[in-house]
C-alpha cells in the first residue's frame, strides 16, 4: 500500500506549471514563457504534494496581454482511493484561486482569434517607458475601480500565492468601491513585432498593487472636526495619506534584470508627484524585496545626505561625554532636524529611513 501511495503522489511544485501564451502560426498557441510556482502549499496543503495521479500535468495558462486564464489538467492514470485516502479534487482546489472563466472551454480559439488583441493596451495609463537589453518595456497604472483592471487582477491573483510567501489575495468582494484606495501598476514588455499580425505586442512582466491609508489629522483648535461618513464636499482622495505597497511581483523569466527596480521607481515617482501622499510604506516585505527597496531608497537618499553633509559630529560633546560615546543620545551626534527634512521631502517611512541613515554612516567609515 505504501509503495502504491508513493507511486501516485507527485510534487505539486513540479506537476504545476504556469505558461504565458500568445497566438502563433498554424493556429497553435505559442508558449512564450513556462515556469513552475515557488509555492503550492496555499492550494494543495503544507506538504506541497498531490495524491492520486500518475503522470500528472497541471498547466495554468495566461494570455500574454490580457492575462485571460485557463487551467489544463491531464494525467496518465487516476487512482480514486487508496485505503482511506482519496485523490485530491484538483478542480475544486484550483477553483478557490482562479476565476470561473479559467475552467471554461474554448480558451485556445479565444486567444488565437481575438480580434481586439492587436489594438489592445493595458488598463490605466502609461506612466513609464524604459529599455533593457534593447527591448522596450512600459509601466501602466490605474485604479482597481476600473472593470478591466479588476478583471485582470482577479485573473492573476494565483501568482501572488505561488510566488510570495504568505502572499494574500485582495478580496475583491470585500473592497470598498466607494473609496478609490487601490492603484495597480503593471509592467509589460512591448515587442516591436508581435508573433503574428493579429497578436498583441504586449507581454506581461509583473505587477504591484498599492493601497492608501488616509491620515486623519486632529483638527486645529477652533476648526470644526471632519464628520463621518464623509460629506460630498470632502473627497477622501484629497486627504493626506500613506501609500502602502501591498503586493509586488516580477515573474521568474524577467527577474534579476532591473524590472523590479523600474516598477518600484514608477510607484515611488508617482508618490513623489502626489502632494497628498506623505510617505511610502511596504506591507510585510520579503527579504528579496527588502534588498530591492534598500538599493533604490539608498540611491535616492545618498545625494541628499551628501548635500546636507550628514555625519556623526562629536565636536559639541563635553570631554566627559566623549569618553562615554555609547550613552550619548542621537540628537547630540546627528543633525536630526536636517534628517527629518530629508525624510519628509523624500517620503521614506521612518524605520526604513533610519536604516538608510545607518547604511550611509557605516559607508563613511574609512
Ligand atoms: N541587469 C541585470 N541585473 C540587474 C539590473 C540590470 N539592468 N538591474 C538590477 N539588477 C540586479 C540588481 O542589482 C539585483 O542584484 P542583487 O540581488 O545582487 O542585489 C537584482 O538584479 C534584483 O534587482 P531587480 O532585477 O531590480 O529585481 P527583480 O526584478 O528581480 O525583482 C523581486 C525582485 C520583486 C523580489 C522579484 O524577485 C520577485 O517578484 N520575487 C518573487 C515574489 C516576491 O518576493 N515579491 C516581493 C514580496 S514583498 C511584497 O509583495 C510587498
Amino acid at each position: 500500500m505504501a509503495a502504491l501511495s508513493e507511486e501516485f503522489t507527485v510534487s505539486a511544485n513540479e506537476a504545476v506549471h504556469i505558461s504565458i501564451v500568445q497566438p502563433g502560426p498554424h493556429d497553435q498557441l505559442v508558449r512564450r514563457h513556462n515556469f513552475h510556482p515557488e509555492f503550492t502549499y496555499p492550494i494543495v496543503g503544507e506538504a506541497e504534494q498531490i495524491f492520486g495521479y500518475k503522470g500528472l500535468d497541471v498547466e495554468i495558462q495566461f494570455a500574454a496581454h490580457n492575462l485571460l486564464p485557463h487551467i489544463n489538467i491531464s494525467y496518465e492514470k487516476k487512482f480514486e482511493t487508496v485505503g482511506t485516502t482519496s485523490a485530491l479534487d484538483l478542480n475544486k482546489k484550483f477553483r478557490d484561486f482562479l476565476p470561473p472563466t479559467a475552467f471554461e472551454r474554448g480558451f485556445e480559439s479565444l486567444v488565437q482569434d481575438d480580434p481586439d488583441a492587436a489594438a489592445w493596451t493595458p488598463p490605466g495609463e502609461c506612466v513609464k517607458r524604459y529599455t533593457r537589453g534593447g527591448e522596450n518595456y512600459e509601466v501602466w497604472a490605474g485604479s482597481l475601480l476600473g472593470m478591466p483592471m479588476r478583471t485582470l487582477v482577479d485573473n492573476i491573483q494565483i501568482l501572488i500565492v505561488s510566488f510570495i510567501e504568505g502572499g494574500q489575495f485582495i478580496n475583491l468582494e470585500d473592497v470598498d468601491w466607494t473609496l478609490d484606495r487601490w492603484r495597480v501598476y503593471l509592467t509589460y514588455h512591448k515587442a516591436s513585432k508581435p508573433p503574428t499580425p493579429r497578436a498583441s505586442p504586449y507581454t506581461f512582466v509583473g505587477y504591484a498593487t498599492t493601497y492608501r491609508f488616509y491620515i486623519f489629522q486632529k483638527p486645529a483648535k477652533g476648526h470644526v472636526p471632519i464628520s463621518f461618513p464623509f460629506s460630498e464636499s470632502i473627497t477622501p482622495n484629497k486627504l493626506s495619506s500613506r501609500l502602502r505597497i501591498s503586493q509586488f511581483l516580477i515573474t521568474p523569466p524577467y527577474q534579476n534584470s532591473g524590472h523590479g527596480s523600474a516598477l518600484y521607481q514608477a510607484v515611488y515617482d508617482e508618490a513623489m508627484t502626489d502632494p497628498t501622499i506623505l510617505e511610502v510604506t511596504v506591507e510585510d516585505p520579503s527579504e528579496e524585496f527588502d534588498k530591492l527597496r534598500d538599493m533604490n531608497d539608498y540611491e535616492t537618499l545618498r545625494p541628499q545626505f551628501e548635500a546636507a553633509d550628514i555625519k556623526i559630529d562629536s565636536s559639541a560633546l563635553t570631554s566627559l561625554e566623549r569618553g562615554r560615546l555609547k550613552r550619548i543620545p542621537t540628537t547630540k551626534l546627528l543633525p536630526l532636524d536636517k534628517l527629518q527634512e530629508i525624510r519628509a521631502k523624500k517620503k521614506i517611512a521612518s524605520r526604513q529611513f533610519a536604516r538608510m541613515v545607518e547604511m550611509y554612516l557605516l559607508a563613511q567609515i574609512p
Side-chain angles (χ1 to χ4, degrees):
M1 190 81 82
L4 200 60
S5 286
E6 251 169 55
E7 194 186 340
F8 283 86
T9 301
V10 292
S11 151
N13 293 354
E14 283 170 26
V16 178
H17 57 117
I18 294 154
S19 44
I20 306 293
V21 300
Q22 281 183 316
H26 319 301
D27 278 345
Q28 283 223 315
L29 292 186
V30 173
R31 281 174 184 74
R32 173 90 192 262
H33 300 296
N34 191 14
F35 47 91
H36 290 278
E38 197 131 325
F39 311 107
T40 46
Y41 68 86
I43 306 169
V44 301
E46 210 53 49
E48 300 195 315
Q49 296 206 315
I50 300 174
F51 173 76
Y53 303 85
K54 197 173 172 187
L56 178 67
D57 183 88
V58 180
E59 182 177 19
I60 302 168
Q61 301 174 308
F62 292 101
H65 64 303
N66 62 8
L67 299 166
L68 188 73
H70 183 65
I71 185 163
N72 238 334
I73 302 171
S74 60
Y75 44 84
E76 281 165 28
K77 206 166 172 188
K78 184 174 177 187
F79 219 105
E80 290 297 345
T81 51
V82 173
T84 53
T85 319
S86 316
L88 196 69
D89 185 343
L90 290 168
N91 272 311
K92 191 162 166 243
K93 286 286 169 195
F94 280 92
R95 262 181 211 284
D96 290 339
F97 296 89
L98 284 165
T101 44
F103 299 83
E104 289 168 4
R105 286 163 187 264
F107 171 76
E108 195 148 338
S109 51
L110 270 179
V111 177
Q112 194 71 33
D113 308 325
D114 180 357
D116 304 322
W120 184 90
T121 55
E125 55 187 317
C126 182
V127 295
K128 185 183 179 105
R129 288 191 172 87
Y130 62 97
T131 56
R132 279 282 178 289
E135 296 290 318
N136 295 320
Y137 294 87
E138 293 179 356
V139 181
W140 287 66
S143 161
L144 190 60
L145 290 187
M147 198 41 101
M149 188 65 92
R150 218 188 300 179
T151 308
L152 193 144
V153 167
D154 196 28
N155 288 346
I156 50 172
Q157 292 219 73
I158 193 167
L159 297 181
I160 294 301
V161 294
S162 303
F163 291 100
I164 302 180
E165 182 128 46
Q168 298 284 325
F169 261 47
I170 302 172
N171 188 344
L172 294 169
E173 316 251 298
D174 276 0
V175 169
D176 179 355
W177 300 114
T178 60
L179 296 180
D180 193 4
R181 286 171 178 249
W182 289 94
R183 188 162 170 83
V184 183
Y185 294 78
L186 307 160
T187 302
Y188 274 90
H189 170 249
K190 190 175 183 190
S192 45
K193 192 171 177 286
T196 67
R198 292 179 67 192
S200 167
Y202 287 100
T203 296
F204 178 71
V205 169
Y207 80 122
T209 58
T210 63
Y211 180 84
R212 263 167 196 263
F213 284 103
Y214 298 112
I215 303 171
F216 300 111
Q217 276 140 346
K218 265 195 180 167
K221 259 193 181 167
H223 279 77
V224 182
I226 295 168
S227 59
F228 293 87
F230 299 111
S231 70
E232 297 247 313
S233 58
I234 299 166
T235 41
N237 297 344
K238 298 266 161 57
L239 294 175
S240 302
S241 53
R242 189 174 283 130
L243 190 78
R244 184 180 70 180
I245 297 175
S246 181
Q247 302 162 319
F248 196 103
L249 172 75
I250 297 295
T251 52
Y254 295 95
Q255 288 172 6
N256 292 315
S257 306
H259 296 296
S261 291
L263 182 56
Y264 180 75
Q265 281 301 334
V267 175
Y268 178 76
D269 289 348
E270 277 218 330
M272 281 303 290
T273 55
D274 183 338
T276 66
I277 294 176
L278 301 190
E279 65 180 30
V280 178
T281 65
V282 180
E283 178 182 344
D284 203 6
S286 64
E287 222 172 277
E288 284 305 304
F289 189 84
D290 265 340
K291 254 167 68 180
L292 176 123
R293 186 187 187 193
D294 285 354
M295 199 166 67
N296 284 279
D297 289 352
Y298 192 72
E299 281 306 299
T300 301
L301 292 172
R302 191 169 44 95
Q304 302 286 320
F305 294 154
E306 282 167 1
D309 194 22
I310 300 296
K311 57 175 182 269
I312 292 181
D313 181 8
S314 57
S315 60
L317 303 180
T318 63
S319 53
L320 190 66
E321 281 174 328
R322 246 178 246 151
R324 303 169 164 183
L325 253 183
K326 269 191 192 156
R327 291 203 207 153
I328 307 299
T330 343
T331 33
K332 278 206 150 183
L333 295 170
L334 285 168
L336 291 194
D337 46 347
K338 272 192 203 169
L339 285 171
Q340 184 50 34
E341 207 177 288
I342 297 171
R343 187 179 94 72
K345 185 167 122 197
K346 292 295 169 186
K347 304 187 181 184
I348 306 285
S350 45
R351 257 182 70 189
Q352 174 68 359
F353 188 78
R355 271 162 60 77
M356 295 297 101
V357 173
E358 201 177 339
M359 269 170 67
Y360 180 74
L361 293 174
L362 288 171
Q364 305 315 304
I365 297 172

